[in-house]
Amino acid sequence: MGGDLRHGGPPGGPDTGGTPSAAEPRPVGTPKAVGIVWALLGLNTLGSAGAKTVVALPRSLIQMATMGALVAAFALALALNPRLRIRASAFLFLLTLLLVPSVIASVQVDVGFGALFRCARLALFVGTLWLLSRWWDGSLTFVRYHIRMYFAVLVLVAVGLVVAPGTALPEYYGGRLVGALWPLTPPQIGQYAAVAIGLTVLLVLGRRADRTSAVVVIVPSLVLLAFTHTRTATLGLLIGLVLAIGSLILTSAAARRFFAWAVLCATVAAVVFSSALRAWFLRGQSQQNFANLTGRAKVWDALLAEPRSTGEKVFGTGLGDKSFDGLPIDNSWLAVYDEQGLIGVTIVAAVIAVLGGVALLRPPSLPRACAIFLIGYCAISSYTEVGLGDASAYLLHLALAASLLVAPAAATPLPTAEIPRRRIPRWARR
């Protein structure tokens, strides 16, 4: 991407309740290698299970690549920050605290080694974020890392669609877009497209990206989002943008104009294309199937009706693959309750509440608007997607929001050398 999207704007904005340590001066600049660490974290969250690809990739090979990316990210972050200088952050503290119920539930004999492996992965993920927190200064640097990372994934998806359209639009997913070169599901692609679109729109409104670069990102991402038929990502994008732009209306004329035009276009589209939009939204499902959320409600009812001991209710059953009786849970809150218990649900709720509360208390700014978009998107998606309790793209979105809500440390004034007093001879004083 060209233009202003390549350059970070002046730091601005609020903090997440975390302040830099007294011994840590404000970073002069963010090393370019930090962007590589962020991209490696994103690679780790892509996962290893999904659609069938053009070239059959062994799952063990994909898992080796994703876990190797996480180890490499931690090692590179440690090399960039060898003195372990970090920012105190309520968000990262709560994520670290989430490890407690995860480990307690996962050390049980009947849980298996996989749960402990997932705990180690979460610990490594959170540890890498702690190391990166040194460069969290409320600027838009990490926003650009985020957009570039997910736009690269979307380019890979688009190439797969062009090379093998039959594999990218399979019948077993109802003709929805999947990853033909890397095993990505429609909800994953929809999520990446929605986040890239939302953040780019906000950069344009804040005049931190030129329109050419924005069109290059937004138009292909919208096309891919439409091909995925992902309702959750679409609603998260729309509601997140409404919240984010609403936070800028009082201070930005561009935000007011965009909001007015968006409302007008949405009204016209709802009237003219109502039947087409309804058909796209239903995806050929019956009203009954749509009412029980494509079978999700049955899994949720069975999970809540499952008998549990007091320990399982409090600490959960250990980190797993976010499924119940072989069926996906597809709800972050119930997945956290199942794996990390009521303590895990309380901690995750505290994460959302702390980030949302701090964002609301900060003065209007573009970084604050981007953070509100990400928090709103994750909150909406948590109803039909999982990931808030484990290393995932959703935690990476919230980490980006936390970095945007950090106030820059006050610059330490340079010490001035004391000017020596000139000695005046006694005869001159007379």
Side-chain angles (χ1 to χ4, degrees):
M1 294 180 291
D4 292 340
L5 258 165
R6 297 179 179 177
H7 305 289
D15 65 24
T16 55
T19 56
S21 59
E24 173 64 14
R26 178 181 176 182
V28 177
T30 304
K32 292 183 179 180
V34 171
I36 299 176
V37 176
W38 198 258
L40 290 172
L41 288 178
L43 175 59
N44 175 254
T45 61
L46 292 183
S48 58
K52 298 178 181 178
T53 55
V54 177
V55 178
L57 300 174
R59 187 176 180 182
S60 59
L61 179 63
I62 300 175
Q63 288 177 330
M64 187 181 303
T66 54
M67 278 306 301
L70 180 58
V71 173
F74 180 80
L76 183 54
L78 190 60
L80 294 171
N81 190 5
R83 297 185 180 181
L84 303 182
R85 294 178 176 176
I86 60 175
R87 279 180 177 265
S89 169
F91 167 76
L92 292 177
F93 171 76
L94 289 172
L95 286 190
T96 307
L97 195 61
L98 188 62
L99 285 168
V100 175
S102 305
V103 173
I104 291 177
S106 299
V107 294
Q108 303 176 37
V109 178
D110 57 341
V111 173
F113 177 75
L116 288 176
F117 178 81
R118 292 183 176 93
C119 287
R121 175 176 176 247
L122 178 59
L124 209 58
F125 187 87
V126 176
T128 306
L129 293 178
W130 271 115
L131 293 172
L132 292 181
S133 66
R134 175 186 179 184
W135 294 283
W136 290 4
D137 58 357
S139 70
L140 298 171
T141 302
F142 284 88
V143 173
R144 290 176 173 82
Y145 293 157
H146 217 62
I147 295 175
R148 292 169 187 168
M149 173 179 66
Y150 285 128
F151 185 69
V153 176
L154 295 175
V155 168
L156 187 66
V157 173
V159 171
L161 177 61
V162 173
V163 172
T167 305
L169 300 170
E171 289 297 330
Y172 59 85
Y173 264 115
R176 300 170 65 191
L177 180 64
V178 300
L181 301 181
W182 185 278
L184 297 173
T185 61
Q188 282 181 285
I189 300 172
Q191 175 194 167
Y192 305 153
V195 170
I197 293 168
L199 292 177
T200 305
V201 167
L202 293 175
L203 288 184
V204 172
L205 290 180
R207 298 181 179 179
R208 302 297 180 87
D210 63 85
R211 295 184 180 181
T212 303
S213 299
V215 169
V216 170
V217 174
I218 293 174
V219 173
S221 300
L222 278 173
V223 173
L224 295 180
L225 177 60
F227 273 116
T228 63
H229 281 235
T230 306
R231 296 175 292 218
T232 300
T234 304
L235 288 177
L237 170 63
L238 296 177
I239 296 175
L241 278 180
V242 167
L243 295 175
I245 296 174
S247 70
L248 293 172
I249 282 181
L250 297 178
T251 58
S252 171
R256 290 191 291 270
R257 289 193 299 268
F258 181 87
F259 189 80
W261 278 105
V263 171
L264 177 62
C265 293
T267 303
V268 173
V271 174
V272 177
F273 305 105
S274 59
S275 58
L277 290 174
R278 183 174 179 274
W280 182 90
F281 202 77
L282 287 177
R283 296 197 311 234
Q285 297 173 343
S286 63
Q287 292 288 349
Q288 181 180 2
N289 196 21
F290 177 74
N292 63 19
L293 298 173
T294 322
R296 290 186 178 97
K298 297 179 181 179
V299 180
W300 299 348
D301 293 339
L303 187 149
L304 292 174
E306 176 76 6
R308 297 172 184 268
S309 64
T310 303
E312 289 175 339
K313 289 180 180 179
V314 175
F315 297 106
T317 59
L319 293 183
D321 58 358
K322 312 299 179 289
S323 66
F324 181 76
D325 283 344
L327 298 174
I329 297 176
D330 286 342
N331 181 287
S332 283
W333 303 100
L334 291 178
V336 172
Y337 169 69
D338 181 53
E339 297 182 353
Q340 291 143 313
L342 294 175
I343 294 180
V345 173
T346 303
I347 295 173
V348 172
V351 168
I352 301 294
V354 166
L355 289 176
V358 172
L360 292 177
L361 293 175
R362 295 302 181 232
S365 66
L366 182 57
R368 173 186 182 244
C370 292
I372 289 176
F373 166 75
L374 292 167
I375 297 167
Y377 181 87
C378 291
I380 296 297
S381 300
S382 67
Y383 187 64
T384 57
E385 298 290 338
V386 296
L388 290 184
D390 204 348
S392 67
Y394 289 104
L395 279 193
L396 203 58
H397 300 333
L398 293 179
L400 175 60
S403 74
L404 292 168
L405 295 174
V406 170
T412 305
L414 295 175
T416 56
E418 184 179 354
I419 301 176
R421 186 175 180 181
R422 185 177 179 182
R423 181 177 178 275
I424 302 176
R426 183 177 300 177
W427 60 270
R429 289 199 295 262
R430 293 175 182 171

